[in-house]
Amino acid sequence: MQDVHGEPSHHLATPELDLDLTARGGHVAPVVFHLPGRDVSPYALAPWLPEEFPEQPALLSVLRGDFFCLPFGGQENGPPHGDPANAPWQLTGETERSLTLYQKAFDSGGAIQKTISVRPEQHALFVEHQISNLEGHFSYGTHPILDLSHLDEEQGRITTSPFRWASVFTDSFANLDNGDTQSLKIGALFDDLKSVPLANGGTTDLTRYPARPGNDDLVMMVNEAATQEQPFAWSAAVLDGYLWFALLPTFPPLSSGSPTAVVPPPPGTDATPAASASKRSAPTSATESTSPAKIASPKKISPPPASFRKTNSSLSK
Amino acid sequence: MIQAVAPVQDNFGPVKSIAPLDEHSVTITDENNHFIEVSLDWTFATSQ
């Protein structure tokens, strides 16, 4: 391991990319993709070092890139986003093209195996979380954070696969007590990212970033059902001369015939896929048995409690 | 989950669709119908 941005990290180097993965919290970043003639590094790292905030949960002091959350959001008896985003991971496997880590999560009781792999001539991370010994009702998801701070105003363009339900978070999201502000209308439903209601009237275009500086907002979307022609959900960010995109499975999978699935948050919105969607016909959590389950994306989601505060601000400030 | 990058021209606009081309590649199309083809084993994202 080596220290990267102040945190001991495992390194994976392939012809396609170099990545660092923190042992604490399993945060992946930086990831430098070696595109033809150009290196790009889309993920954000917090503008502080872990040693500057040792009293904070590792989620915040280490904060960078992407990490796995179980539960997704806050909880009464554990750190925000759970042990997977805060506690140490043990390296259990390493090849020329993959890293495998293990964590026994003491808050949920689950045992989690994280594998990040790279395939030849593909500038992509293949991310898998395999969970066992988990029983109960849980939300979970990944948490990609992109760095758009170097772009001109509204240069970054973020879109997602078609969605069948979308809403601004149904409670305050910004830390208003600390003087933070939010711009969107709490609880507003919308069907077009280009026209989302503002708190003070009118609408704003959530496909353009950076925008609305100084505000912390949260929106949630549930994607349309998978089809043979569109078997996965996606989100994409067009940046400066390249695009970042994520592909996610739909849940249940296409073969089951169920329409329920979740699209990840547009990274530039600083949004997390937490929703009180259960009141509006969108399932928000999953009941897990002790059977192992492989998870590759946000599956079903639950809202964080009111006491849970926003955890990343590097995108919007 | 797959997270990936691909180079695009400066005039490439907001992504309108990402769809399979074959089992090992996807087509990414922008709002102006510019498109790129990207080598990617996308079935990983649907086999979890």
Side-chain angles (χ1 to χ4, degrees):
Chain A
M1 281 197 294
Q2 57 186 349
D3 272 13
V4 178
H5 197 59
E7 190 68 12
S9 303
H10 304 287
H11 187 75
L12 178 64
T14 75
E16 296 79 15
L17 59 85
D18 279 78
L19 73 79
D20 292 289
L21 177 64
T22 65
R24 190 169 53 144
H27 295 207
V28 58
V31 182
V32 179
F33 293 93
H34 305 307
L35 293 176
R38 181 189 183 194
D39 284 351
V40 298
S41 184
Y43 298 100
L45 290 88
W48 57 79
L49 295 175
E51 65 191 32
E52 296 179 62
F53 297 99
E55 76 285 2
Q56 292 292 331
L59 167 72
L60 295 178
S61 61
V62 174
L63 186 64
R64 66 195 67 188
D66 187 29
F67 44 88
F68 184 64
C69 308
L70 176 70
F72 198 105
Q75 57 178 337
E76 292 183 359
N77 299 311
H81 287 322
D83 278 354
N86 289 274
W89 290 77
Q90 178 184 1
L91 183 69
T92 58
E94 186 173 13
T95 73
E96 290 183 348
R97 289 191 165 273
S98 69
L99 295 172
T100 299
L101 298 91
Y102 172 85
Q103 183 191 89
K104 172 64 175 177
F106 291 101
D107 51 357
S108 68
I112 307 166
Q113 178 173 283
K114 175 198 294 282
T115 300
I116 298 178
S117 56
V118 181
R119 299 189 180 187
E121 301 180 13
Q122 300 188 19
H123 296 96
L125 305 178
F126 292 79
V127 182
E128 178 182 271
H129 292 92
Q130 185 166 359
I131 302 174
S132 58
N133 300 323
L134 185 67
E135 190 165 6
H137 206 62
F138 290 93
S139 60
Y140 44 79
T142 56
H143 199 301
I145 310 168
L146 301 186
D147 181 5
L148 308 183
S149 63
H150 61 291
L151 301 180
D152 294 334
E153 185 176 352
E154 299 188 352
Q155 180 184 8
R157 299 302 300 272
I158 292 178
T159 48
T160 72
S161 47
F163 50 84
R164 63 185 174 90
W165 179 91
S167 173
V168 180
F169 189 47
T170 53
D171 200 349
S172 296
F173 180 64
N175 188 352
L176 304 178
D177 294 338
N178 199 33
D180 295 343
T181 59
Q182 56 191 66
S183 63
L184 303 181
K185 183 178 180 181
I186 293 174
L189 300 176
F190 60 92
D191 56 15
D192 184 352
L193 273 177
K194 294 181 178 178
S195 182
V196 177
L198 287 163
N200 295 328
T203 62
T204 190
D205 184 349
L206 292 188
T207 71
R208 299 175 181 272
Y209 297 89
R212 298 167 299 280
N215 291 293
D216 300 329
D217 287 294
L218 172 65
V219 295
M220 308 81 70
M221 288 158 285
V222 179
N223 69 272
E224 292 282 8
T227 65
Q228 293 293 344
E229 294 74 27
Q230 186 63 69
F232 48 75
W234 58 265
S235 53
V238 177
L239 306 172
D240 51 337
Y242 75 102
L243 65 87
W244 174 95
F245 63 101
L247 306 185
L248 303 105
T250 57
F251 285 93
L254 177 63
S255 57
S256 74
S258 171
T260 302
V262 174
V263 171
T269 65
D270 197 17
T272 50
S276 57
S278 58
K279 297 178 181 177
R280 303 181 184 181
S281 77
T284 60
S285 63
T287 300
E288 296 299 326
S289 70
T290 54
S291 301
K294 292 181 180 179
I295 299 171
S297 72
K299 184 176 179 182
K300 298 175 184 175
I301 50 180
S302 294
S307 59
F308 180 67
R309 294 176 176 174
K310 176 175 161 300
T311 57
N312 58 300
S313 60
S314 57
L315 293 174
S316 59
K317 294 180 178 178
Chain B
M1 179 185 210
I2 301 172
Q3 300 182 27
V5 299
V8 294
Q9 298 293 323
D10 287 341
N11 65 348
F12 198 86
V15 174
K16 180 175 68 178
S17 72
I18 302 178
L21 179 62
D22 55 39
E23 285 193 0
H24 304 290
S25 61
V26 296
T27 300
I28 303 176
T29 307
D30 79 356
E31 289 186 345
N32 300 312
N33 292 322
H34 300 131
F35 68 92
I36 60 172
E37 296 174 0
V38 178
S39 176
L40 190 66
D41 295 331
W42 60 267
T43 58
F44 176 88
T46 62
S47 60
Q48 305 300 307

